[in-house]
Amino acid sequence: MLRKTFESDIQQLKDELLLLGSMVEQQTLDAVEALKKRDLEAARRIYAADAKINEKRFAIENQVMILIATQQPMAHDLRLLASIFEVSAELERMGDYAKGIAKVNIRMGDEPLLKPLIDIPRMAKIASSMLHRALTAFVNEDAEAARAIPEEDDEVDGLYNQVYRELMTYVMSDPRTIDRANYLLWAAHNLERMADRVTNICERTIFIVTGEMTEIDVSDDEMKAE
Amino acid sequence: MNKIIIEHLSLQYADGTESLRDVSMSIVANAITVLFGPAGGGKSTLLRCLNRLNDLTEVRVASGKILLDGENILDPQTDVIALRRRVGMVFARPVVLPLTIRGNLTYGLELAGEKRKSRLDEAVEHSLKLAALWEEVRDRLDDPAIALSGGQQQRLCLARSLAQQPEVILLDEPTSGLDPISTGKVEAALQELKKEYTIVLVPHSVQQAARTSDYAAFFLQGELVEYGEGKEIFTNPKNKRTEDYVEGRFG
């Protein structure tokens, strides 16, 4: 095969991107689990581990720059490398959301949860699963799968609205709960944003395959959620 | 490991003008080192010094050493014929001999006294495989070499140089006359060859320098401006002149 080294460099970058994605997934699930259990030690650990995600993102960026400079990619290869650059940034921001949830946990200190967590862990599970499949579609350049995944965002938005309404009822019946409600809303909002960013990854996958940058329609639910 | 060490090398043309000024650098074994920069910078001159081809031109070594495995090849006692067997050269335009494909490859070996047919056949197949040409010519080894395409001729020249079992291969703009596919084949062959050989390449463009180099040396008007790992030189050069040149905004 012509340019065998380049091909294997690209494969290695895709592997690194998958690894970064799995780090983000794990951080997200761990952060929510720690919140559910009010495990402050775990939250601090998750908060600190975000640095590893940032580090990996910069390593990927650096490798993309080296390949663009040295291999002069064209057409599909260029779209792919530009997209890896973009997706690594998306993943890093998702990592920040997980870190944000850990931060909420730390800030709550000794205060108990306003209510047991049910919908927030479900949101985390769906968002992580969407991320996992979106990244698989990305590295496999599977445009069809990439088009389907964003539809599941509706479910995450629906859960967010449910959490929102539920927390509002607590606040209305006892305004002193406003801080504790706000903490949980913050965590839920982070998960909702994470699922939105999965859509951006899917858009990039379609861009790599077709060369066209399409905006995947987000549902009206998001307007309510925002 | 350093295969070649160049120490304070200065060269002059017959009229006394400087060609290379106090160049010191190492050439690492089993890697591709590219010498690049604008025309007239001294890169081809340096390349030719590495197997003493400049002996035939009006270039004089003013001072310095070139150590190949620790021995100074500029020493007048050096057996130049033996040196050129160890350090082979491929030029910009393929120079095929007016012989068959096979004849191009066995000529040098026969000249060196090899007569055994089995050895010669072995060398033909091995060198053609290394140069990524075997599959294309295996059924027509007795056709005239001149019938090959430009890209094939260039790989034949590479194979001819490899048939001598050199340790170092010098290439002076070996793909300047080739289309992108043939260029790709030669570059891919070099990436394989570096596992066994030490390769020094003067590329025909900055892009080729960037694509192929493990190590890169930037030459400007006889001066070695910067030398380092290719991925550093082409993404984050330390010298402003190197940066301006690789960015294409020179002059």
Side-chain angles (χ1 to χ4, degrees), chain B residues 57 62 70 94 116 173 197 200 216 237:
Chain B
T57 60
R116 287 165 294 182
E173 303 192 9
Y197 303 87
V200 189

Side-chain angles (χ1 to χ4, degrees), chain B residues 28-47:
Chain B
V28 178
N30 302 113
I32 300 177
T33 301
V34 302
L35 314 176
F36 75 106
K43 49 200 196 296
S44 287
T45 309
L46 177 60
L47 193 73

Side-chain angles (χ1 to χ4, degrees), chain A residues 105-224:
Chain A
N105 200 353
I106 295 165
R107 280 224 192 150
M108 283 171 76
D110 294 334
E111 283 186 63
L113 289 171
L114 182 58
K115 59 178 275 303
L117 297 192
I118 296 158
D119 289 334
I120 286 178
R122 279 171 65 197
M123 288 176 77
K125 207 172 157 196
I126 298 168
S128 304
S129 156
M130 284 172 72
L131 170 60
H132 188 92
R133 283 172 292 124
L135 272 184
T136 307
F138 181 85
V139 299
N140 293 336
E141 301 181 20
D142 180 348
E144 206 176 317
R147 279 197 187 91
I149 294 163
E151 285 171 18
E152 298 169 37
D153 186 41
D154 290 352
E155 205 178 331
V156 179
D157 290 345
L159 283 168
Y160 176 71
N161 289 339
Q162 202 166 301
V163 170
Y164 179 82
R165 281 193 300 269
E166 199 181 353
L167 289 171
M168 283 308 116
T169 57
Y170 278 93
V171 172
M172 281 187 285
S173 63
D174 180 2
R176 284 173 304 176
T177 60
I178 192 160
D179 272 351
R180 288 197 287 161
N182 213 11
Y183 283 135
L184 295 184
L185 194 60
W186 187 351
H189 184 255
N190 276 5
L191 294 169
E192 190 271 326
R193 293 297 302 142
M194 177 178 168
D196 284 347
R197 283 182 184 272
V198 170
T199 302
N200 296 344
I201 296 177
C202 295
E203 285 169 356
R204 289 289 156 183
T205 304
I206 297 166
F207 171 66
I208 294 167
V209 178
T210 65
E212 279 168 34
M213 201 52 223
T214 41
E215 191 94 32
I216 298 178
D217 278 340
V218 284
S219 68
D220 291 332
D221 283 3
E222 194 185 326
M223 293 297 289
K224 286 183 235 156

Side-chain angles (χ1 to χ4, degrees), chain B residues 195-219:
Chain B
K195 293 169 189 164
E196 288 180 51
Y197 303 87
T198 301
I199 296 174
V200 189
L201 168 72
V202 173
H204 73 266
S205 65
V206 178
Q207 288 75 14
Q208 185 173 51
R211 278 198 303 274
T212 52
S213 63
D214 294 306
Y215 298 91
F218 175 56
F219 284 87

Side-chain angles (χ1 to χ4, degrees), chain B residues 101-128 134 141 159 162-165:
Chain B
I101 293 171
R102 188 198 308 275
N104 264 272
L105 298 169
T106 55
Y107 184 77
L109 291 172
E110 283 167 338
L111 213 59
E114 183 59 71
K115 289 193 177 65
R116 287 165 294 182
K117 188 169 179 305
S118 62
R119 281 291 170 83
L120 293 172
D121 285 348
E122 214 175 274
V124 167
E125 181 172 342
H126 186 63
S127 59
L128 284 172
W134 174 247
L141 292 175
L162 295 171
Q164 303 291 322
Q165 295 186 301

Side-chain angles (χ1 to χ4, degrees), chain A residues 25-48:
Chain A
E25 268 174 59
Q26 199 57 51
Q27 280 276 93
T28 306
L29 294 171
D30 288 353
V32 171
E33 186 65 18
L35 181 64
K36 194 173 161 185
K37 292 185 177 155
R38 296 305 335 278
D39 182 344
L40 289 177
E41 201 181 312
R44 285 191 197 95
R45 207 166 48 232
I46 292 156
Y47 190 89

